[in-house]
Amino acid sequence: GLVLLSISTTLFLLKPSGCGDEETPCGTHSTFHIVFFYLAIYLVALGNGGYQPNIATFGADQFDEEDPKEGHSKIAFFSYFYLALNLGSLFSNTVLGYFEDEGMWALGFWASTASAVGALVLFLIGTPRYRHFEPKGNPLSRFCQVLVASTRKWKVERTQGEENLFEVDNKESAMNGDRKILHTDSFRFLDKAAIITPKDYAKQGKKFYGRNPWRLCTVTQVEEVKCILRLLPIWLCTILFSVVFTQMASLFVEQGAAMKTKISNFNIPAAGMSSFDILSVAAFIFLYRLVLDPVIARIKSKPKGLTELQRMGIGLFIAILAMVAAGVVEVLRLKDAKKDCPNCVNASSLSIFWQVPQYMLIGASEVFMYVGQLEFFNGQAPDGLKSFGSALCMTSISLGNYVSSLLVSIVMRISTRDDMPGWIPGNLNKGHLDRFFFMLAALTTADLVVYIICAKWYKYIKFEGRKGADDNSDDGQAEAAAAAEHRV
């Protein structure tokens, strides 16, 4: 995708050469050129969709969470993984941003292609050292089997206890490489999928020869579905945080472009201010890992400091502070703004460095929210759905962009009147961007309240260890299986 994007830009789009630098307009392009360009960017999106959810999961698979030392390293991995993502963004926001401002688009795309090629080579070099886990079937079919089986048994009475619920024995579970999940009482309707009835085994002639997975599911399979259902409310609450995060690459840049951006003869790119966000992410990752987490763990007398849910809540709270800071800066900017500014470039005498606190706060909130989110969804997803957990995290970021665009459209439609240009017009000096930031702060506050309720309701998933079952428990499972077969 990046190769095609670089080629299309070099050969087709930049006509005449060097256009797009805000001085030389680019010429028109044929339908073939446009289709070629869109094919390239959608290939980039497709590749990123396959890469992003799985790279975090694959990295986490390199650590055995049941080993104390490796389990601690696995937790640290997510922090340094997110730091690596931000260091890549630092290159984009500085070097590539400079290329863009100078109109050297093709060179910027070729630099991105070279970095992707270098990343692929590094990844392949490590192939002999990686731990690989074979996929265990289609997770979608396992999910649907529980829904179908519980629906087909909706008239079956659910008795107290777990004696009539089906589960494979520990040896079979260990052979599959999955840990069994302990039964919970939430979403009790789904338990019907694991209730053993005489019709639950496929019949051939007069003999029963095997379990029909669309009629009888294991307790672990049922708990996998419950786990996903419990994760969804938490996931929905993270989308609004991504809306706040999105402002850094959109409205923060517009706000900065309307401020004083010159120091002596040097013009500071408004998009380059996101470097302060990246520096904040790096600083807070090390601050949390090396200082806050050990101190909180010592106070709580536990090996681990804050839980993932607690950290995500703190991230939401810091995001509220970031929006308030952005709103206050906009109020101050409007006081010093040139009302008759036609194009809103350097329209205020307020220095762009007043934006530093809001970028720093966004960076701090990312460390608590996104790193905690990666750990939470990866740790709480069942063994066969780890990449699904990482995908939830990435999807919330993507949906945040869409929700942000939707909010801007709604706000502009409502706030624009005959004599009012709306909150976010092309000339920010005639609008009220501060009101939009304060509105986001209010929405995030409401989201935080809902999140706290969901977090208190959430029950952490409980696994049986792969090595935790002894011979006696195997005998007990065998007896239960024999009794179940006898009842059938």
Side-chain angles (χ1 to χ4, degrees), residues 33-325:
H33 296 162
I34 300 300
V35 170
F36 193 91
F37 170 75
Y38 276 101
L39 172 64
I41 61 175
Y42 276 109
L43 279 175
V44 173
L46 179 63
N48 205 43
Y51 159 83
Q52 284 280 17
N54 290 291
I55 192 70
T57 304
F58 186 73
D61 281 346
Q62 307 310 306
F63 307 95
D64 182 3
E65 62 186 35
E66 294 183 2
D67 179 271
K69 185 177 180 180
E70 289 198 19
H72 185 268
S73 298
K74 179 179 179 179
I75 295 173
F77 161 77
F78 288 108
S79 296
Y80 298 126
F81 168 74
Y82 195 73
L83 175 62
L85 289 181
N86 278 270
L87 290 177
S89 298
L90 182 62
F91 173 79
S92 299
N93 295 334
T94 53
V95 177
L96 297 187
Y98 172 78
F99 290 158
E100 176 186 325
D101 285 347
E102 296 298 319
M104 297 184 289
W105 293 84
L107 181 59
F109 290 139
W110 280 117
S112 300
T113 304
S115 69
V117 171
L120 178 61
V121 170
L122 284 173
F123 176 75
L124 293 177
I125 289 174
T127 301
R129 299 175 58 86
Y130 298 141
R131 291 174 176 172
H132 296 274
F133 294 88
E134 295 183 1
K136 301 294 190 300
N138 188 345
L140 181 61
S141 64
R142 287 173 62 85
F143 186 93
C144 293
Q145 285 168 359
V146 174
L147 299 182
V148 171
S150 57
T151 302
R152 294 172 75 172
K153 296 181 182 177
W154 68 278
K155 291 184 179 180
V156 176
E157 291 295 329
R158 168 77 170 89
T159 59
Q160 295 295 326
E162 303 178 22
E163 293 78 11
N164 65 331
L165 298 181
F166 177 76
E167 182 60 283
V168 297
D169 60 32
N170 290 329
K171 290 181 179 179
E172 183 178 343
S173 178
M175 287 176 62
N176 293 332
D178 293 334
R179 293 168 293 177
K180 291 195 294 185
I181 306 176
L182 299 180
H183 177 259
T184 60
D185 289 328
S186 58
F187 303 105
R188 292 177 64 86
F189 172 77
L190 296 175
D191 288 341
K192 294 177 182 290
I195 296 177
I196 301 172
T197 67
K199 298 180 180 180
D200 287 331
Y201 282 75
K203 189 174 182 180
Q204 188 178 37
K206 296 183 178 180
K207 295 183 179 180
F208 293 96
Y209 67 91
R211 173 173 66 94
N212 181 356
W214 294 93
R215 283 198 59 91
L216 180 62
C217 304
T218 65
V219 170
T220 294
Q221 196 174 342
V222 172
E223 291 300 322
E224 288 176 355
V225 177
K226 291 182 181 181
C227 175
I228 294 172
L229 295 178
R230 286 195 296 265
L231 286 174
L232 290 180
I234 302 292
W235 172 72
L236 289 172
C237 290
T238 65
I239 294 175
L240 199 58
F241 175 85
S242 296
V243 175
V244 172
F245 174 73
T246 300
Q247 305 315 309
M248 187 175 60
S250 54
L251 293 182
F252 280 14
V253 177
E254 290 194 35
Q255 183 189 44
M259 299 173 76
K260 182 181 178 182
T261 59
K262 280 197 173 183
I263 297 180
S264 185
N265 294 326
F266 182 72
N267 188 44
I268 301 170
M273 291 297 291
S274 59
S275 300
F276 287 100
D277 164 77
I278 297 167
L279 294 174
S280 176
V281 167
F284 273 92
I285 280 178
F286 288 111
L287 180 65
Y288 178 77
R289 299 276 347 142
L290 302 178
V291 180
L292 292 179
D293 192 52
V295 170
I296 296 172
R298 186 173 301 175
I299 293 173
K300 295 172 64 176
S301 299
K302 292 183 178 180
K304 190 177 180 181
L306 298 171
T307 66
E308 292 91 347
L309 287 175
Q310 290 171 336
R311 287 156 57 192
M312 291 161 67
I314 292 173
L316 275 173
F317 177 74
I318 299 176
I320 297 170
L321 298 181
M323 286 297 97
V324 172

Side-chain angles (χ1 to χ4, degrees), residues 306-478:
L306 298 171
T307 66
E308 292 91 347
L309 287 175
Q310 290 171 336
R311 287 156 57 192
M312 291 161 67
I314 292 173
L316 275 173
F317 177 74
I318 299 176
I320 297 170
L321 298 181
M323 286 297 97
V324 172
V328 170
V329 168
E330 182 63 14
V331 170
L332 297 174
R333 191 196 69 80
L334 287 173
K335 284 184 179 180
D336 294 333
K338 303 170 186 175
K339 301 298 182 182
D340 57 346
C341 169
N343 56 11
C344 219
V345 175
N346 298 331
S348 175
S349 59
L350 193 69
S351 172
I352 194 173
F353 286 105
W354 279 85
Q355 284 192 311
V356 171
Q358 63 203 58
Y359 278 103
M360 297 289 285
L361 286 169
I362 289 289
S365 67
E366 288 178 64
V367 172
F368 285 97
M369 169 57 81
Y370 282 146
V371 176
Q373 196 176 341
L374 278 169
E375 289 182 32
F376 176 74
F377 286 130
N378 185 272
Q380 293 301 297
D383 286 339
L385 299 172
K386 293 297 184 184
S387 59
F388 174 80
S390 298
L392 282 178
C393 180
M394 301 303 171
T395 306
S396 77
I397 299 175
S398 301
L399 289 177
N401 284 274
Y402 285 109
V403 174
S404 177
S405 300
L406 179 63
L407 276 177
V408 170
S409 300
I410 293 174
V411 164
M412 287 301 294
R413 183 179 291 270
I414 294 175
S415 62
T416 302
R417 296 288 184 268
D418 294 335
D419 56 343
M420 294 289 291
W423 287 3
I424 318 173
N427 186 345
L428 292 184
N429 292 341
K430 295 181 179 180
H432 279 287
L433 183 59
D434 55 324
R435 295 178 183 176
F436 184 78
F437 288 144
F438 289 138
M439 183 194 73
L440 280 183
L443 289 175
T444 310
T445 302
D447 184 55
L448 177 59
V449 173
V450 176
Y451 172 81
I452 291 173
I453 295 172
C454 293
K456 287 184 175 293
W457 168 79
Y458 184 81
K459 301 296 182 186
Y460 278 82
I461 190 171
K462 294 181 179 179
F463 293 101
E464 276 189 24
R466 291 189 180 93
K467 303 172 185 176
D470 55 21
D471 293 335
N472 291 333
S473 62
D474 284 343
D475 293 340
Q477 288 286 346

